[in-house]
Amino acid sequence: MAERAGPVPTDRPGLGRTWVSAHKFRVDWGVDPSDDHVIRHPTGRTPPSCPIPPLLALPAPGPTARGTGGTGATGATGHRTVAVLGPGGVGGLLAALLARAGHRVLCLAGEDTARALRTDGLRVRSGHCGDFTARVEADTALREPVDLCLVTVKHTALEAALDRLPAGVLGDAPLVPLLNGVDHLAALRRRYGAGPVVPATVKVESTRTAPGVIEHGSPFVQIELAGAEERLGPLAALFTDAGAEARVVPDEAGVMWAKLAFLAPVALLTTRYRATIGAVRTERRDELVAVLEEAAAVARACGASVDPAAVLERCDAFPAGNKSSMLRDAEAGRELELDAIGGALLRAAEERGVPVPTAARLVAELEASG
Ligand SMILES: NC(=O)C1=CN([C@@H]2O[C@H](COP(=O)(O)OP(=O)(O)OC[C@H]3O[C@@H](n4cnc5c(N)ncnc54)[C@H](OP(=O)(O)O)[C@@H]3O)[C@@H](O)[C@H]2O)C=CC1
Ligand SMILES: CC(C)(CO)C(=O)C(=O)O
């Protein structure tokens, strides 16, 4: 019997946030005697100390993994079946955390990655969450109903990856995309309808170094979900119980544009100058402040209340050695999400008549160098 506690809720200076508190719970782990770091699905039926309510107040599910009674609950344990489309840096980490928390996790990926996951599981190295291997299921497409689906591919792979997620199989299960940028929400709503799509963002530094091998470098995994607290509270609790702090924010623009107003300056500058966040904020501070102000003005024009001084504070609070995912893509020679991040900022700026000269120059320079 192992006792695990989720992260302690915090009020983070500069963020002004209170994260959903974690429930402390006990669960029986089925531990492989040959490796006591390998986490398998729980063999016991010890319920969490507080009952888990339905995951989302969505229409009653059909005869699915969501269990009996159409309530969304999966029986006494409250364990869910979660699909993760794209088990890379973000998806692999969350899939592993959810599996470690006792949920049944089904990763959807290409054949090679799916085979590696079936054989070796997800191997996580994390100073924050610990080093562990999580057993997950893996397939190349969704073939059964699930309680929840995370979408964690890059923008550049989104349309192809969504072919693995047939709308008829997904049904009304909540679909939580954690991609950076804003444009993917429209693409998901076109395919699956507006109901299941839960706008969300994640703040983390996590890299897939090989199929199923995840290096988590940030001392946090923070998720924001946009919508009503009464609808999304159980979903936030599910993440928080698994070790990823989650918070519900009422408005979509507040979630999506607050993230982009922070990310776009950080991603553009770290990638343009091949520099860590720490180096950018000391060596390129004037440029950082200029892009932050431009991005905050665009975010405000899009309906989010973003204060550039608060965003600068968040930048200053970020671990100095962390990099943006765009910089890690550039270093690895992968295609950049430049259009989804910088492009989205420039398009919104043009539509709303907000001048963004510094951001436009950085995007042009990155395009020219790519
Ligand atoms: N990494 C980070 O720290 C952060 C990333 N983000 C955002 O999260 C999103 C995901 O990024 P990240 O996790 O870094 O990306 P990764 O490249 O690490 O992971 C993407 C995953 O998608 C899989 N994939 C690619 N194409 C397909 C396809 N056609 N079908 C199924 N799976 C596919 C990849 O498979 P394979 O393993 O086979 O390559 C990989 O597992 C991005 O939008 C990024 O901007 C946001 C915050 C932080
Ligand atoms: C905000 C930041 C830099 C870390 O979560 C990010 O989203 C990224 O690396 O893509």
Side-chain angles (χ1 to χ4, degrees), residues 3 25 85 89 126 129 150 212 225 239 245 283 320 355-356 368:
E3 184 164 77
F25 62 94
L85 177 64
S126 165
C129 303
L150 309 184
L225 303 166
F239 286 120
E245 296 161 87
E283 291 157 29
V356 286

PDB file of all heavy atoms in Angstrom, residues 3 25 85 89 126 129 150 212 225 239 245 283 320 355-356 368:
ATOM      1  N   GLU A   3       1.114   5.465  -0.032  1.00  0.00           N
ATOM      2  CA  GLU A   3       0.338   6.683   0.152  1.00  0.00           C
ATOM      3  C   GLU A   3       0.915   7.756  -0.748  1.00  0.00           C
ATOM      4  O   GLU A   3       2.101   7.988  -0.794  1.00  0.00           O
ATOM      5  CB  GLU A   3       0.401   7.140   1.607  1.00  0.00           C
ATOM      6  CG  GLU A   3      -0.483   8.352   1.822  1.00  0.00           C
ATOM      7  CD  GLU A   3      -0.764   8.596   3.285  1.00  0.00           C
ATOM      8  OE1 GLU A   3       0.108   9.116   3.972  1.00  0.00           O
ATOM      9  OE2 GLU A   3      -1.854   8.240   3.725  1.00  0.00           O
ATOM     10  N   PHE A  25      -5.113  10.655  -1.189  1.00  0.00           N
ATOM     11  CA  PHE A  25      -5.814   9.382  -1.253  1.00  0.00           C
ATOM     12  C   PHE A  25      -4.825   8.235  -1.180  1.00  0.00           C
ATOM     13  O   PHE A  25      -3.646   8.386  -1.415  1.00  0.00           O
ATOM     14  CB  PHE A  25      -6.634   9.281  -2.537  1.00  0.00           C
ATOM     15  CG  PHE A  25      -5.827   9.328  -3.815  1.00  0.00           C
ATOM     16  CD1 PHE A  25      -5.416   8.167  -4.439  1.00  0.00           C
ATOM     17  CD2 PHE A  25      -5.490  10.547  -4.375  1.00  0.00           C
ATOM     18  CE1 PHE A  25      -4.688   8.220  -5.612  1.00  0.00           C
ATOM     19  CE2 PHE A  25      -4.747  10.601  -5.540  1.00  0.00           C
ATOM     20  CZ  PHE A  25      -4.353   9.430  -6.163  1.00  0.00           C
ATOM     21  N   LEU A  85      -4.085  11.339 -27.546  1.00  0.00           N
ATOM     22  CA  LEU A  85      -3.647  11.366 -28.945  1.00  0.00           C
ATOM     23  C   LEU A  85      -2.341  12.148 -29.019  1.00  0.00           C
ATOM     24  O   LEU A  85      -2.333  13.364 -28.879  1.00  0.00           O
ATOM     25  CB  LEU A  85      -4.730  12.044 -29.813  1.00  0.00           C
ATOM     26  CG  LEU A  85      -4.385  12.208 -31.285  1.00  0.00           C
ATOM     27  CD1 LEU A  85      -4.228  10.863 -31.990  1.00  0.00           C
ATOM     28  CD2 LEU A  85      -5.452  13.054 -31.999  1.00  0.00           C
ATOM     29  N   GLY A  89       6.030  14.845 -25.500  1.00  0.00           N
ATOM     30  CA  GLY A  89       6.471  15.531 -24.287  1.00  0.00           C
ATOM     31  C   GLY A  89       5.317  15.814 -23.341  1.00  0.00           C
ATOM     32  O   GLY A  89       5.336  15.422 -22.170  1.00  0.00           O
ATOM     33  N   SER A 126      11.699  12.783 -14.059  1.00  0.00           N
ATOM     34  CA  SER A 126      11.176  14.083 -13.642  1.00  0.00           C
ATOM     35  C   SER A 126      11.628  14.399 -12.235  1.00  0.00           C
ATOM     36  O   SER A 126      11.372  13.641 -11.299  1.00  0.00           O
ATOM     37  CB  SER A 126       9.633  14.044 -13.695  1.00  0.00           C
ATOM     38  OG  SER A 126       9.089  15.136 -12.994  1.00  0.00           O
ATOM     39  N   CYS A 129       7.990  15.074 -10.555  1.00  0.00           N
ATOM     40  CA  CYS A 129       7.002  13.986 -10.378  1.00  0.00           C
ATOM     41  C   CYS A 129       7.667  12.662 -10.020  1.00  0.00           C
ATOM     42  O   CYS A 129       6.979  11.676  -9.764  1.00  0.00           O
ATOM     43  CB  CYS A 129       6.198  13.792 -11.657  1.00  0.00           C
ATOM     44  SG  CYS A 129       5.351  15.260 -12.224  1.00  0.00           S
ATOM     45  N   LEU A 150      -7.412  13.429 -24.481  1.00  0.00           N
ATOM     46  CA  LEU A 150      -6.488  14.567 -24.558  1.00  0.00           C
ATOM     47  C   LEU A 150      -5.889  14.596 -25.960  1.00  0.00           C
ATOM     48  O   LEU A 150      -5.542  13.539 -26.499  1.00  0.00           O
ATOM     49  CB  LEU A 150      -5.341  14.414 -23.545  1.00  0.00           C
ATOM     50  CG  LEU A 150      -5.714  14.107 -22.098  1.00  0.00           C
ATOM     51  CD1 LEU A 150      -4.460  14.096 -21.230  1.00  0.00           C
ATOM     52  CD2 LEU A 150      -6.716  15.121 -21.578  1.00  0.00           C
ATOM     53  N   GLY A 212       8.156   7.021 -26.159  1.00  0.00           N
ATOM     54  CA  GLY A 212       7.849   6.545 -24.804  1.00  0.00           C
ATOM     55  C   GLY A 212       8.813   7.006 -23.732  1.00  0.00           C
ATOM     56  O   GLY A 212       8.650   6.665 -22.565  1.00  0.00           O
ATOM     57  N   LEU A 225      -8.334  25.094 -17.647  1.00  0.00           N
ATOM     58  CA  LEU A 225      -9.487  24.642 -18.422  1.00  0.00           C
ATOM     59  C   LEU A 225     -10.475  25.795 -18.479  1.00  0.00           C
ATOM     60  O   LEU A 225     -10.742  26.431 -17.449  1.00  0.00           O
ATOM     61  CB  LEU A 225     -10.160  23.463 -17.719  1.00  0.00           C
ATOM     62  CG  LEU A 225      -9.272  22.252 -17.430  1.00  0.00           C
ATOM     63  CD1 LEU A 225      -9.973  21.321 -16.447  1.00  0.00           C
ATOM     64  CD2 LEU A 225      -8.938  21.509 -18.715  1.00  0.00           C
ATOM     65  N   PHE A 239      -7.090  15.771 -13.009  1.00  0.00           N
ATOM     66  CA  PHE A 239      -5.692  16.105 -13.316  1.00  0.00           C
ATOM     67  C   PHE A 239      -4.911  16.362 -12.025  1.00  0.00           C
ATOM     68  O   PHE A 239      -3.785  15.903 -11.860  1.00  0.00           O
ATOM     69  CB  PHE A 239      -5.618  17.353 -14.195  1.00  0.00           C
ATOM     70  CG  PHE A 239      -6.027  17.140 -15.620  1.00  0.00           C
ATOM     71  CD1 PHE A 239      -7.091  17.830 -16.184  1.00  0.00           C
ATOM     72  CD2 PHE A 239      -5.330  16.252 -16.425  1.00  0.00           C
ATOM     73  CE1 PHE A 239      -7.465  17.642 -17.503  1.00  0.00           C
ATOM     74  CE2 PHE A 239      -5.687  16.053 -17.756  1.00  0.00           C
ATOM     75  CZ  PHE A 239      -6.763  16.748 -18.294  1.00  0.00           C
ATOM     76  N   GLU A 245      -1.361  20.137 -11.577  1.00  0.00           N
ATOM     77  CA  GLU A 245      -2.281  21.120 -10.998  1.00  0.00           C
ATOM     78  C   GLU A 245      -3.206  21.651 -12.095  1.00  0.00           C
ATOM     79  O   GLU A 245      -2.740  21.973 -13.180  1.00  0.00           O
ATOM     80  CB  GLU A 245      -1.497  22.306 -10.445  1.00  0.00           C
ATOM     81  CG  GLU A 245      -0.574  21.962  -9.300  1.00  0.00           C
ATOM     82  CD  GLU A 245       0.474  23.044  -9.140  1.00  0.00           C
ATOM     83  OE1 GLU A 245       0.185  24.011  -8.425  1.00  0.00           O
ATOM     84  OE2 GLU A 245       1.534  22.926  -9.761  1.00  0.00           O
ATOM     85  N   GLU A 283      19.552  39.188 -21.389  1.00  0.00           N
ATOM     86  CA  GLU A 283      20.300  39.765 -22.523  1.00  0.00           C
ATOM     87  C   GLU A 283      19.425  40.456 -23.565  1.00  0.00           C
ATOM     88  O   GLU A 283      19.913  41.246 -24.370  1.00  0.00           O
ATOM     89  CB  GLU A 283      21.127  38.656 -23.203  1.00  0.00           C
ATOM     90  CG  GLU A 283      22.277  38.175 -22.310  1.00  0.00           C
ATOM     91  CD  GLU A 283      22.732  36.775 -22.660  1.00  0.00           C
ATOM     92  OE1 GLU A 283      22.598  36.378 -23.839  1.00  0.00           O
ATOM     93  OE2 GLU A 283      23.215  36.071 -21.746  1.00  0.00           O
ATOM     94  N   ALA A 320      15.216  29.698 -14.992  1.00  0.00           N
ATOM     95  CA  ALA A 320      16.094  30.365 -15.965  1.00  0.00           C
ATOM     96  C   ALA A 320      16.574  29.416 -17.062  1.00  0.00           C
ATOM     97  O   ALA A 320      16.720  29.797 -18.216  1.00  0.00           O
ATOM     98  CB  ALA A 320      17.290  30.973 -15.240  1.00  0.00           C
ATOM     99  N   PRO A 355      -0.811  47.269 -33.754  1.00  0.00           N
ATOM    100  CA  PRO A 355       0.545  47.224 -34.313  1.00  0.00           C
ATOM    101  C   PRO A 355       1.464  46.268 -33.530  1.00  0.00           C
ATOM    102  O   PRO A 355       1.491  46.306 -32.300  1.00  0.00           O
ATOM    103  CB  PRO A 355       1.050  48.666 -34.190  1.00  0.00           C
ATOM    104  CG  PRO A 355       0.119  49.348 -33.247  1.00  0.00           C
ATOM    105  CD  PRO A 355      -1.128  48.538 -33.101  1.00  0.00           C
ATOM    106  N   VAL A 356       2.153  45.387 -34.272  1.00  0.00           N
ATOM    107  CA  VAL A 356       3.045  44.415 -33.600  1.00  0.00           C
ATOM    108  C   VAL A 356       4.382  44.341 -34.353  1.00  0.00           C
ATOM    109  O   VAL A 356       4.797  43.272 -34.812  1.00  0.00           O
ATOM    110  CB  VAL A 356       2.381  43.008 -33.518  1.00  0.00           C
ATOM    111  CG1 VAL A 356       1.286  42.960 -32.479  1.00  0.00           C
ATOM    112  CG2 VAL A 356       1.831  42.542 -34.858  1.00  0.00           C
ATOM    113  N   ALA A 368      12.689  33.263 -42.360  1.00  0.00           N
ATOM    114  CA  ALA A 368      13.816  33.340 -43.278  1.00  0.00           C
ATOM    115  C   ALA A 368      14.900  32.327 -42.913  1.00  0.00           C
ATOM    116  O   ALA A 368      15.572  31.766 -43.780  1.00  0.00           O
ATOM    117  CB  ALA A 368      14.399  34.760 -43.258  1.00  0.00           C
TER     118      ALA A 368
END
